[in-house]
Amino acid sequence: LPEPKIPFDEDSVFEKKRKTDENTFAVINSYQNPQDPGELVYSRSQCMHCLQPACVTACLVGAMEKKKDGPVVCNEEKCIGCRYCMVACPFSVPKFEFQRAVPSIRKCTFCFDRLMKGEMPACVESCPVEALKFGKRKDLLEEARCRICSEPDKYLHQVYGEHEVGGTSWLYLSSVPFNKIGFRSDLGKKPYPELTAEFIHVEMPIYSLYTAFSLGIYYLIKGRERKSEEEGKDK
């Protein structure tokens, strides 16, 4: 292969394909451009903050919460460390603190504390080339479509995150296929919580009837035992 146009260190974190962990909420990896092997394409990975997050639905204690402004945050005081959110997430984002005595789940919070102060996420504010942009989702989608229409040869005709798993708060434009730079292409458009909604609607009444039936049997047995004890005392 020809020498890459962008020099890089073989031992740098960019050349090692990394995933987010409990201490690193966002990771940037580099990939060789399949259309131009001498060029590097950089791809950022972090929580996608889905519009209908599967992690929130899977959380047993309500520790995962979808805020009205978009961020999906985890309340560490509520988290019991069941890790169901890790299994449910289609992007494999939530990470467990295995090294802590009292562990919890950690991930990107969309800088929710900064948003509450009217500030932008730290990554957006610090990006020197404005590769990241923050704003209302509908405005960003409109801008993304305008960019694709104005430069159809530069961008793929797809906004990643517009429809994937029902839509996400992070949106991406790319000049190369997304599956070549670490993005899943098999997610579909239906939100994951809707895939289990029908099962839950059927499951809950069954469990309710089972509970009522079990309680009925319990009280019936207890009633018979009490009656036998009374008869024994009379004798």
Side-chain angles (χ1 to χ4, degrees):
L1 296 176
E3 290 294 323
K5 297 176 182 178
I6 304 175
F8 61 88
D9 180 359
E10 290 285 347
D11 297 325
S12 70
V13 294
F14 297 109
E15 199 55 21
K16 297 175 182 178
K17 303 303 180 287
R18 301 194 306 157
K19 296 182 179 180
T20 57
D21 57 37
E22 69 274 16
N23 296 314
T24 307
F25 294 162
V27 169
I28 299 177
N29 289 317
S30 67
Y31 298 83
Q32 287 188 327
N33 189 339
Q35 301 168 0
D36 184 356
E39 183 181 72
L40 291 179
V41 178
Y42 294 95
S43 172
R44 174 190 165 98
S45 174
Q46 79 290 305
C47 177
M48 298 291 285
H49 298 278
C50 304
L51 302 185
Q52 297 187 50
C55 60
V56 173
T57 304
C59 185
L60 299 174
V61 294
M64 284 288 185
E65 182 182 359
K66 174 74 174 178
K67 299 294 185 180
K68 64 178 182 179
D69 295 324
V72 177
V73 300
C74 179
N75 186 334
E76 295 186 6
E77 294 182 357
K78 289 184 177 181
C79 181
I80 60 174
C82 67
R83 290 171 281 178
Y84 283 2
C85 57
M86 294 175 62
V87 178
C89 178
F91 302 101
S92 302
V93 168
K95 295 296 183 291
F96 188 70
E97 295 179 306
F98 285 99
Q99 306 303 321
R100 286 187 57 186
V102 184
S104 62
I105 293 292
R106 304 189 73 209
K107 67 174 193 64
C108 163
T109 64
F110 222 145
C111 290
F112 181 65
D113 54 337
R114 292 174 59 89
L115 297 184
M116 293 299 95
K117 299 176 186 177
E119 300 174 350
M120 293 189 296
C123 58
V124 178
E125 187 174 282
S126 61
C127 183
V129 294
E130 297 184 355
L132 305 177
K133 188 168 185 178
F134 178 74
K136 293 184 177 180
R137 189 173 187 271
K138 60 182 181 66
D139 295 336
L140 296 178
L141 279 172
E142 183 176 350
E143 179 173 339
R145 296 189 188 103
C146 288
R147 290 189 184 186
I148 293 173
C149 290
S150 61
E151 298 182 88
D153 296 331
K154 180 178 180 180
Y155 297 109
L156 287 178
H157 294 192
Q158 177 188 1
V159 182
Y160 193 93
E162 180 179 8
H163 301 297
E164 280 72 16
V165 292
T168 63
S169 296
W170 273 97
L171 304 169
Y172 290 86
L173 288 178
S174 175
S175 59
V176 299
F178 286 103
N179 62 349
K180 300 296 184 181
I181 53 174
F183 291 87
R184 291 185 59 180
S185 58
D186 59 342
L187 297 176
K189 298 181 179 181
K190 195 167 185 177
Y192 274 28
E194 291 186 8
L195 298 176
T196 58
E198 294 182 4
F199 171 74
I200 292 174
H201 291 160
V202 173
E203 179 187 36
M204 292 308 294
I206 291 176
Y207 277 121
S208 298
L209 291 173
Y210 176 78
T211 302
F213 176 76
S214 299
L215 286 173
I217 295 296
Y218 172 79
Y219 285 116
L220 177 63
I221 294 174
K222 283 296 183 181
R224 289 183 177 179
E225 289 178 351
R226 191 179 302 110
K227 184 177 180 180
S228 297
E229 290 177 359
E230 292 175 354
E231 290 177 350
K233 289 180 181 179
D234 292 340
K235 290 181 180 181

